[in-house]
Structure formats: structure tokens, C-alpha cells
Amino acid sequence: MSIDELAARIASATAESVPIPQLSSQIDLSLDDAYRIQAAGIAARVAAGERVIGAKLGFTSREKARQMGVDDVILGTLTDRMAVPDGGVFRRAELIHPRIEPEIAFRFRTAQSARVLSEGDADATDIDVAVALEVIDSRFADFRFDLADVVADNTSAARFVLGAWMPLAALGGASALGLRAVRMEIDGTVVAAGSTDAILGDPWRAVRSVGEKLAALGGDLDAGAVLLAGAATEAVPLPPAGVVTAAIAGIGRVSVEVTP
Ligand code: OOG
Ligand code: MG
């Protein structure tokens, strides 16, 4: 089966909200092939009118990696069609078995070369931060996968919500990102709590990490690109209906409503 055929299988699972068997249960998939399948899936979405607006990291926190039984940081792609506005609504029926997780997001005001990012030379004065919620929805049965499966499936990306941006400089710069309390609530009940240092020890490392991944895959970030740095806690299954909020101390909050 070709890269394009495998990407098309994942695309129809997404479109029909019906899970498919893990690719790894049928074929021997390398991580390089998995990134090619992800790229083919994104190319098809772009051809259908979607716009790439950034990138996301997965498994930057040990809790997430342990929850899903994997042990490496992975890179996914965000498109405009996945974005839900802060305070907005999305329908659960459009998804298969969605989970939600609190994240920190970065926005790069100027274009960033993978090499500069990977060398740890990103200019913090050029970056904004926001609280984010990510809705993940594995296209694989039982929300189970190996690392190649989940990379091929664009790291389970489904929806994301960004809170208000604040300049990283106003927070105190790159060294001010760690050790901030993270909390996620559903209808006012705390469902997950943690700290930003769960993200690679310090979320600033996510900026370097995305550079390393992009350098290996061949790509850069455009001006205005958004980066989701990866969940700070375990992901929580989405109820059929409710309001989910995430807050990070000193950065702000974001909310989204899910309806059946
Ligand atoms: C893969 C996506 C992981 C994160 O923040 O760690 C991720 C998954 O758990 O399905 O988005
Ligand atoms: Mg995530």
C-alpha cells in the first residue's frame, strides 16, 4: 500500500468519524514513512483549501508519554480548520473518541529557521504565549497506537483553542515559563492539574525541540506560526457536552464548549 493510500485511509476515518485498525497491525511502518504519510495527509487537506498555520509537539510530558505508552517527542501539523475560537463551540459528533488537554502555545511573529530554533537561538522578544486547549482524537481503534501510527495520524490532532496572546517579554522572558500552575476544569470541576515544567522540564525547551524536529524533516516556521508545546497533564476524555477551561498562572485562561 502506498504512502498516499495510507494517508487516504486516515483521512476517511477522520471525515467519517469511524476508527480504523492501527497501520502497525497490518504493515511494518518506519518513523520516516509515518512522517511521509502525515505530510501526504496535510498536502491533501491543503489541496482541499486548508491552510497550515503551525506545528504541535506530542509527548513532551512524561505523564502523556506514560499514558500512551510511548517514549519520544513527535511533531504534528496544525491547520486553520482545526482552530476553534476562545469561548467557541464544536460538536463532539464530528469526532471519534476525543480527549482534551491543557497546553501552552507559542506564536512566532517572524519566520524562524529550523536551524536557529534547534540551536536554541530563538529570539524571545519576538514571541507571544497563550494558554491553549488541544482536542486530540486518534483515528485508531481504542485510542491505541505505536509511535509510527500516531505520527502518520498527524499526532491525533483534531481541534485546538488559543487564549489571548501576551508577549513573552511581558511575562519575564524565556526563563519565566517554568513552574507555573496549570489547571483544566470541565463544568467547574478540576479534571487535571500540573505545572508547566512537566513540558520537557521547561516549556522553552519545546521551542528548541520543534527546531530539531523540523531540521530533521526539512522545514521552517512561517511568520505568525503557532506552536502547541504539548500537554502539561494527562488527556481527559471529553464528555458529550460541557464547558472546558484551562488556566496557567500568570498567562491567562481559555475555554471552549462541546455539544453533542
Ligand atoms: C498523541 C498526541 C500527543 C501531546 O500534547 O502530548 C499530544 C496522543 O496522545 O494521541 O498532543
Ligand atoms: Mg497535545
Side-chain angles (χ1 to χ4, degrees):
M1 196 159 290
S2 73
I3 296 287
D4 283 335
E5 281 165 341
L6 292 166
R9 264 210 231 171
I10 293 171
S12 55
T14 310
E16 291 155 25
S17 312
V18 176
I20 53 173
Q22 290 68 22
L23 303 182
S24 60
S25 70
Q26 296 156 325
I27 53 165
D28 206 8
L29 199 63
S30 72
L31 207 51
D32 285 346
D33 281 343
Y35 276 109
R36 283 187 200 106
I37 295 168
Q38 181 189 131
I42 295 297
R45 293 174 77 135
V46 167
E50 291 185 45
R51 200 161 48 83
V52 171
I53 61 150
K56 58 162 283 192
L57 291 168
F59 308 132
T60 47
S61 89
R62 257 195 299 271
E63 253 184 283
K64 275 286 307 188
R66 196 182 319 116
Q67 180 183 27
M68 304 316 296
V70 297
D71 60 1
D72 203 4
V73 172
I74 56 174
L75 186 69
T77 311
L78 301 176
T79 77
D80 58 346
R81 205 69 61 79
M82 301 172 188
V84 180
D86 187 8
V89 185
F90 68 94
R91 290 189 51 227
R92 196 186 187 283
E94 293 171 357
L95 303 171
I96 302 167
H97 38 206
R99 298 178 180 178
I100 193 158
E101 49 194 25
E103 305 217 5
I104 183 166
F106 293 95
R107 182 174 65 183
F108 301 89
R109 281 182 235 130
T110 55
Q112 303 287 323
S113 91
R115 191 185 51 77
V116 170
L117 292 174
S118 67
E119 286 169 3
D121 289 338
D123 181 357
T125 62
D126 226 17
I127 295 176
D128 301 311
V129 288
V131 183
L133 282 163
E134 184 182 27
V135 178
I136 50 172
D137 192 36
S138 177
R139 268 56 69 166
F140 298 117
D142 307 321
F143 221 115
R144 289 186 40 214
F145 43 69
D146 71 9
L147 207 57
D149 286 319
V150 67
V151 164
D153 186 24
N154 194 26
T155 67
S156 308
R159 301 281 184 276
F160 65 89
V161 195
L162 300 170
W165 292 108
M166 88 182 273
L168 180 52
L171 191 70
S175 62
L177 288 161
L179 287 169
R180 291 180 179 275
V182 178
R183 201 178 63 244
M184 183 167 72
E185 297 179 2
I186 301 183
D187 292 332
T189 301
V190 177
V191 293
S195 164
T196 51
D197 56 316
I199 302 158
L200 296 172
D202 183 320
W204 185 245
R205 297 216 179 108
V207 173
R208 187 166 187 156
S209 178
V210 79
E212 285 162 4
K213 295 284 166 199
L214 284 172
L217 292 164
D220 298 301
L221 290 178
D222 293 337
V226 171
L227 169 66
L228 290 183
T233 69
E234 285 191 7
V236 173
L238 259 186
V243 175
V244 187
T245 62
I248 302 180
I251 301 182
R253 55 195 291 118
V254 63
S255 78
V256 72
E257 182 177 355
V258 55
T259 62

